[in-house]
Amino acid sequence: MKKILFLGTMALMLSSCYTHSYLVGNGPQTGVQIKQKNHFVIAGLVPIATSNPHTMSGGSANYAVTTSHTFIDGLINGLTFGIYCPTTTTVTK
């Protein structure tokens, strides 16, 4: 019984999606979203390709940036045992 409780607790603890958000200027004005993947290896220590939020915004002065580990990103990370760690960047204009 203790083993099942322990595994259930660990599953709940590892199921969150990590998010980092910030605003540029006055924040989003139109609600248009652009998404792009970031690619990292070795538990996120070595970047392969990262997105540029300013370029994604199309030169807009007002936008919001959210970088997160979505469920799919976490699943891929878990299946590769941390060798490949993608994240998703969303820019809302």
Side-chain angles (χ1 to χ4, degrees):
M1 181 67 180
K2 288 182 182 181
K3 189 174 189 178
I4 293 172
L5 182 61
F6 174 75
L7 291 175
T9 303
M10 291 304 295
L12 289 174
M13 289 175 61
L14 297 174
S15 66
S16 66
C17 298
Y18 307 105
T19 303
H20 176 75
S21 300
Y22 59 94
L23 295 175
V24 176
N26 294 325
Q29 305 294 316
T30 62
V32 176
Q33 288 188 342
I34 299 110
K35 291 186 179 185
Q36 198 170 24
K37 290 284 189 187
N38 303 307
H39 307 282
F40 298 94
V41 293
I42 309 171
L45 295 175
V46 181
I48 295 173
T50 57
S51 59
N52 183 341
H54 183 67
T55 304
M56 290 172 63
S57 72
S60 177
N62 303 308
Y63 57 93
V65 179
T66 303
T67 304
S68 63
H69 290 269
T70 63
F71 175 78
I72 298 299
D73 295 338
L75 182 64
I76 293 169
N77 186 8
L79 291 174
T80 62
F81 300 104
I83 295 171
Y84 173 62
C85 305
T87 61
T88 302
T89 300
T90 305
V91 172
T92 307
K93 294 198 262 181

